[in-house]
Amino acid sequence: MANTTIKNARYDEVMLYFEKVNKARNHPGFTFLFHYNAYRHESKKLYGYTQFMEHYNHKHPKTKGSMKIEHIAGYEVFIDYAGKKLHITDKETGEPIPAEVFVAILPNSQYTYIETSYSQKRKNMITSRLCPGVLWRRSQGHCIGQTQNRQ
């Protein structure tokens, strides 16, 4: 807990509210502005947004960590699916269809490729339009999931 000389009811109230904010911090779609607006509705004597954030950052300081990793250009690609699903609307029925978001990034150049697919199954990842280009293994000379060699 942060050390402070502030001792009043308004400060104690915002410190208790920060416990709820901190628990929600890792949930998808979290924003401080949303929680500040909720705090505004709950509190009678409130802090402004800037002071709210100042007290939060004092109570829960950020841990700064960085690590420089050297990447050989064109040698590796990072792939993953984004956390939240999107919805694609069927043109004929108007029905929303859930879609996964496939993301690939070349770490040296920061080039990013994004594509939607219906699931995260291996078949969908392999048949992505990326397979001929990015997922091609240099050492084996073939694309993951393909039997045909590439020259």
Side-chain angles (χ1 to χ4, degrees):
M1 187 163 168
N3 294 329
T4 184
T5 58
I6 301 172
K7 297 289 182 202
N8 64 44
R10 179 171 80 152
Y11 182 79
D12 293 340
E13 178 185 14
V14 79
M15 288 298 124
L16 285 174
Y17 190 78
F18 288 156
E19 298 305 319
K20 288 196 286 188
V21 172
N22 219 37
K23 286 179 185 174
R25 187 110 191 245
N26 292 327
H27 292 161
F30 171 88
T31 66
F32 281 108
L33 188 57
F34 173 83
H35 288 281
Y36 175 73
N37 286 330
Y39 159 75
R40 282 179 45 201
H41 289 36
E42 289 180 21
S43 180
K44 292 186 185 348
K45 288 184 167 187
L46 54 99
Y47 287 103
Y49 183 70
T50 303
Q51 197 63 38
F52 178 85
M53 291 305 302
E54 186 72 27
H55 285 307
Y56 181 84
N57 290 328
H58 186 68
K59 181 173 175 65
H60 301 285
K62 296 177 187 172
T63 53
K64 294 183 179 180
S66 64
M67 183 170 66
K68 185 170 172 72
I69 300 173
E70 296 293 326
H71 299 285
I72 300 169
Y75 186 72
E76 59 189 353
V77 61
F78 297 147
I79 61 172
D80 199 1
Y81 282 92
K84 283 185 140 184
K85 289 185 179 184
L86 296 179
H87 289 85
I88 301 171
T89 304
D90 188 319
K91 287 182 182 180
E92 295 174 8
T93 64
E95 175 187 358
I97 303 166
E100 301 285 351
V101 181
F102 174 81
V103 180
I105 186 166
L106 295 170
N108 190 53
S109 64
Q110 299 295 307
Y111 283 134
T112 305
Y113 178 82
I114 300 171
E115 182 176 316
T116 58
S117 62
Y118 292 113
S119 75
Q120 292 187 17
K121 292 182 179 176
R122 184 180 302 183
K123 177 185 143 195
N124 291 103
M125 185 178 74
I126 291 172
T127 58
S128 167
R129 281 180 251 151
L130 270 177
C131 197
V134 178
L135 296 180
W136 182 68
R137 290 189 202 164
R138 285 173 61 171
S139 59
Q140 282 83 20
H142 68 278
C143 184
I144 299 168
Q146 285 185 349
T147 56
Q148 178 181 352
N149 282 342
R150 220 174 154 187
Q151 300 301 325

